[in-house]
């Protein structure tokens, strides 16, 4: 059986010179300007019931460069400008396919600063990456090697709100291959008291990264609030301090999730999770911060793409399945299961840990559906109209 190489992005920090930083900053601004101009043109054309595609916006870009007002677009590489038009085309394709909302304009202060280069916009030789319009290679911190013999097909340069510079190289990774098949199967119940509870009885502690830095973050935010609004250096310095704390929290959270998901995929052939609508759950004002800190959506995303890489299966059970109220031993369904009940005893005499019991029920339901071939989501077992947080929202976080 032949397998195709997986496209994988390898992200690294780099430290640009002052000249390189100025060039990249100009490129970011031009990319944002072209995106907004093209979006405005397509929006106006749509109001006139006219169709404008990528080819039309590419012709517009050529015309814009010839005007005196937009002549500065010629000062940067044309490759990122063409790529942002392709990204806009993808955004409209997703919108018309009902997979995304209507594209929005990019803000100078709030939008992500990035530029994408294809093979014609960079040179990669002997581990040295040089971008178009630059005479020197980037000073990249090679924290891990690229796959041997692979060449990047695209390079994305970005700068986060904390001022850190990153370069992401998209390469074919021949080392990503399906793992040997195993009989292991596990049910995973996510929560806040414990980040994960497995059907084996194991529980992964919730590190609560945001809570650990909450006092430090609050102090930095108060200092920022006291600075006069504007473009002053003191306000910019205070804003970067807030961004650095947020970045530190996100980095630690992402690192922990990578370790958890990699371990689950390596040890199990089948992983059963619950299909939670996190965007609805965070509307609970009492728990929105804790739910966001747990990053259940990011956990699921990592689990699914790693399972696809390594030949594993992820099964999502319908969120209305009464996993917490169902006895995993005899199948008796309890009438009520208040959130403050963490252990309970069934009529059959079995004492359950609430979260372990839910994980066992998820595993059984997922395996039953997988065997029957009826899809990945069992039908609703309870009437509709209830809050999606009924089983998954624990007590108010202190």
């Amino acid at each position: 059986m032949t397998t195709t190489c997986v496209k994988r992005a390898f992200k690294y920090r780099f430290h640009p010179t002052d000249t390189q930083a100025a060039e990249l900053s100009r490129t970011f601004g031009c990319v944002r300007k072209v995106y907004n101009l093209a979006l405005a043109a397509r929006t106006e054309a749509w109001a006139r019931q006219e169709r404008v595609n990528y080819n039309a916006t590419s012709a517009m870009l050529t015309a814009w460069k010839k005007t005196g007002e937009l002549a500065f677009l010629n000062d940067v590489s044309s490759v990122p400008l063409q790529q942002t038009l392709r990204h806009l085309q993808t955004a409209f394709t997703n919108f018309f396919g009902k997979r995304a909302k209507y594209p929005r304009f990019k803000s100078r202060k709030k939008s992500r600063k990035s530029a994408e280069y294809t093979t014609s916009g960079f040179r990669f030789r002997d581990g040295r990456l040089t971008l178009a319009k630059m005479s020197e290679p980037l000073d990249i911190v090679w924290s891990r090697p690229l796959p041997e013999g692979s060449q990047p097909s695209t390079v994305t340069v970005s700068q986060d709100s904390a001022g850190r510079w990153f370069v992401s190289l998209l390469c074919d990774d021949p080392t990503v291959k399906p793992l040997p098949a195993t009989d292991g199967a596990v049910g995973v119940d996510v929560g806040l008291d414990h980040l994960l509870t497995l059907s084996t009885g194991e529980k992964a502690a919730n590190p609560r990264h945001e809570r650990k830095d909450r006092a430090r973050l609050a102090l930095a935010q108060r200092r920022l609030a006291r600075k006069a609004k504007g473009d002053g250096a003191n306000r910019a310095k205070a804003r970067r301090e807030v961004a650095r704390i947020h970045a530190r929290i996100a980095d630690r959270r992402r690192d922990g999730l990578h370790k958890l998901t990699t371990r689950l995929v390596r040890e199990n052939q089948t992983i059963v999770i619950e299909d939670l609508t996190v965007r609805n759950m965070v509307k609970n004002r009492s728990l929105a911060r804790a739910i966001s800190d747990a990053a259940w959506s990011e956990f699921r995303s990592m689990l699914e793409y790693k399972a696809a890489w390594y030949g594993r299966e992820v099964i999502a059970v319908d969120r209305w399945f009464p996993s917490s109220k169902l006895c995993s031993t005899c199948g008796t369904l309890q009438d009520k299961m208040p959130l403050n009940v963490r252990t309970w005893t069934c009529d059959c005499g079995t004492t359950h840990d609430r979260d372990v019991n839910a994980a066992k029920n998820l595993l059984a339901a997922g395996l039953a559906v997988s065997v029957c071939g009826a899809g990945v989501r069992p039908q609703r077992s309870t009437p509709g109209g209830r809050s999606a947080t009924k089983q998954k929202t624990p007590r108010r976080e202190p």
Side-chain angles (χ1 to χ4, degrees), residues 191-196 203-214 248-260 289-290 292-296 299 397:
L192 298 182
D193 289 340
H194 293 88
L195 184 61
L196 303 178
K203 295 186 177 183
N206 186 354
R208 302 181 188 273
H209 298 294
E210 186 274 336
R211 179 190 284 183
K212 291 179 180 178
D213 277 349
R214 188 175 298 174
R248 179 170 179 263
I249 294 170
D251 289 346
R252 289 186 299 168
R253 181 190 298 122
R254 192 180 305 109
D255 180 68
L257 290 178
H258 271 301
K259 292 176 180 176
L260 280 174
R289 173 181 282 183
S292 298
D293 192 24
W296 294 335
F299 165 75
E397 188 195 20

Side-chain angles (χ1 to χ4, degrees), residues 147-358:
E148 186 176 356
S150 64
Q151 288 287 326
S153 57
T154 63
V155 170
T156 302
V157 181
S158 61
Q159 184 185 27
D160 67 6
S161 56
R164 302 180 301 177
W165 294 86
F166 295 94
V167 59
S168 180
L169 290 77
L170 185 65
C171 306
D172 289 326
D173 190 356
T175 63
V176 177
K177 298 178 181 178
L179 295 171
T182 177
D183 295 331
V186 67
V188 181
D189 180 72
V190 297
L192 298 182
D193 289 340
H194 293 88
L195 184 61
L196 303 178
T197 301
L198 307 184
S199 55
T200 59
E202 181 183 352
K203 295 186 177 183
N206 186 354
R208 302 181 188 273
H209 298 294
E210 186 274 336
R211 179 190 284 183
K212 291 179 180 178
D213 277 349
R214 188 175 298 174
R216 182 182 174 192
L217 178 61
L219 177 61
Q221 288 174 330
R222 286 197 298 270
R223 289 174 176 170
L224 174 60
R226 287 196 292 265
K227 299 294 186 292
K229 291 185 178 181
D231 296 328
N234 287 337
R235 183 174 177 82
K237 182 179 178 181
R239 183 198 57 77
R240 284 195 298 270
E241 179 61 26
V242 173
R244 277 195 287 266
I245 298 173
H246 278 298
R248 179 170 179 263
I249 294 170
D251 289 346
R252 289 186 299 168
R253 181 190 298 122
R254 192 180 305 109
D255 180 68
L257 290 178
H258 271 301
K259 292 176 180 176
L260 280 174
T261 52
T262 299
R263 178 195 156 200
L264 288 174
V265 168
R266 286 178 176 173
E267 295 179 353
N268 300 280
Q269 182 68 32
T270 304
I271 305 168
V272 184
I273 59 177
E274 191 169 8
D275 183 30
L276 299 176
T277 51
V278 178
R279 64 178 174 271
N280 290 336
M281 299 174 71
V282 294
K283 294 178 182 178
N284 184 327
R285 297 175 61 184
S286 299
L287 293 163
R289 173 181 282 183
I291 293 173
S292 298
D293 192 24
W296 294 335
S297 294
E298 189 172 6
F299 165 75
R300 176 173 176 173
S301 176
M302 289 183 180
L303 202 61
E304 288 178 339
Y305 81 72
K306 291 180 182 180
W309 280 0
Y310 298 110
R312 302 311 200 197
E313 182 183 19
V314 175
I315 300 175
V317 174
D318 191 276
R319 69 185 68 93
W320 298 101
F321 178 68
S323 57
S324 296
K325 297 193 295 183
L326 191 67
C327 176
S328 58
T329 302
C330 67
T332 301
L333 182 64
Q334 303 296 312
D335 294 333
K336 296 181 180 180
M337 186 63 59
L339 292 172
N340 60 347
V341 176
R342 310 314 299 173
T343 59
W344 57 280
T345 303
C346 181
D347 295 338
C348 66
T350 305
T351 300
H352 295 291
D353 178 284
R354 179 194 184 98
D355 298 330
V356 175
N357 177 66

